[in-house]
Amino acid sequence: MKLTLKIWRQKDARAKGSFVTYHMDNVSPEMSFLEMMDALNKKLVEEDKDPVAFDHDCREGICGSCGMYINGHPHGPVPGVTTCHLSMRYFNDGDTIWVEPWRAKPFPVIRDLIVDRSAFDKIQVAGGFISVNAGAAPEANSIPVRKKNADEAFDSAICIGCGACVAACKNASAMLFVSAKISQFALLPQGRVEAKDRVRAMVEKMDELGFGNCSNTGACEAACPKKIKLTNIARLNREYYKAY
Amino acid sequence: MNKILFSSISKKFVMALAGLFLIVFLPVHLSINLMLLKPDPEPFNRAAHFMATFPLVKIVEVILILAILVHISWGIYLQIQNWLARPQGYVVKIKTRTSFFSRFMIWTGASVLTFLIIHFTNFYFIRLGLVEGNPENFYGVAHSLFKIPAYNYIYLVCFILLGLHLYHAFSSAFQTLGLNHRLWTPVVKVVALIYAIVIPLGFAVISITIWQFR
Ligand code: SF4
Ligand code: FES
């Protein structure tokens, strides 16, 4: 199929940036969105032009680096997939596709479609961990965990830190991400020990980095490729109140 | 201490509490307004007088004014921070499915505020002695205001916008307080919908009745 791409190009963090139009013939519906972008870059290199810079790593939906804002949807119009899993068969011949980087003050554009998501790392470093004395592995069954809690902890632990929640939120709030990272520990006995310090530190860091305030709009949940639920944000709020 | 009081979650907590207080207050106000429909001005004026003088109500009144001021100022503060969090917007507007009215809270809120200013000038400031008028005959004031078509139009538009504001506000407050439950949250949403229709409708019915039939 034939596509018209309008892609955000920006030399570096300080440059102004603008959309550049590219025409692609021969896009096969079997391609993933990133493969289509590879084909575009191959073409650009052959024409001796600068390829489009975009982030990617695993290409199997687990690393969270491939964020692109496609036609008004973080990770494209298909729910529950990352950009690398987005198949071109969801687009039609003749479509125009607008591709923009994540937009949020704490996620500055580094180049083209790549943004600096290290703000998320900073939140994690502030408290998204458990301090353990890594001696010999203990017997797994010595600490009983309720099945429901184990499942919910797992469901929040699958957050890949992609930032689509921030990108989708009208307030550029990071609450869904932080709530997932809080929940994965808050629901397990090992995580309870440091629960108060963790939630205080992570929320403080999140605010300090300039993310917006949650207004319970729910765009994050709808955009999240891992379907992290809004109930996590309510839990984050509870955990925060409990910590004081 | 500042970090605790002014963290994003604390600010929202305060917003939610103040908002819930206002949500509880509205039905009280509405039930007093219903007395405007009686041909006899006495019951309404007596209720208004009671509200203005009874000591216990005085305390609630202070809380109410505080709640209004805090809800407005925190709301604006949060909104400005939210705008600052995305200095450069998208060219293609966000199409992600969201709770629709939540996107316009600042604007529906602003229109309610506009109404509140008109409302306070007409009633509350008279009672405080800031504006000329007879505080003992609010029945007459209300009736003469509702006879003005333009006042009715503004009144109705503001109450429709208030309804939209309340619809998101109601369930949002619960979520902010950390109360999200598999079974109860859907119930809260239904109650929110009913509340957001019944309250503005109640106020509107009173104004229209007086305007058209009295
Ligand atoms: S919560 Fe979802 S959208 Fe947000 S970072 Fe995690 S996986 Fe991405
Ligand atoms: S490239 Fe790793 S999630 Fe898409």
Side-chain angles (χ1 to χ4, degrees), chain A residues 34 56-66 82-84 160:
Chain A
L34 294 192
H56 61 100
D57 186 19
C58 70
R59 298 208 175 201
E60 54 182 11
I62 53 168
C63 75
S65 57
C66 59
T82 51
T83 304
C84 56
I160 53 175

Side-chain angles (χ1 to χ4, degrees), chain B residues 106-146:
Chain B
I106 189 72
W107 305 118
T108 49
S111 64
V112 176
L113 174 60
T114 318
F115 172 73
L116 217 54
I117 293 169
I118 302 176
H119 186 58
F120 273 23
T121 322
N122 288 333
F123 294 93
Y124 193 62
F125 293 162
I126 293 183
R127 239 191 56 210
L128 294 183
L130 300 174
V131 177
E132 285 278 314
N134 176 9
E136 292 304 321
N137 185 20
F138 278 163
Y139 182 93
V141 180
H143 272 253
S144 54
L145 281 173
F146 286 143

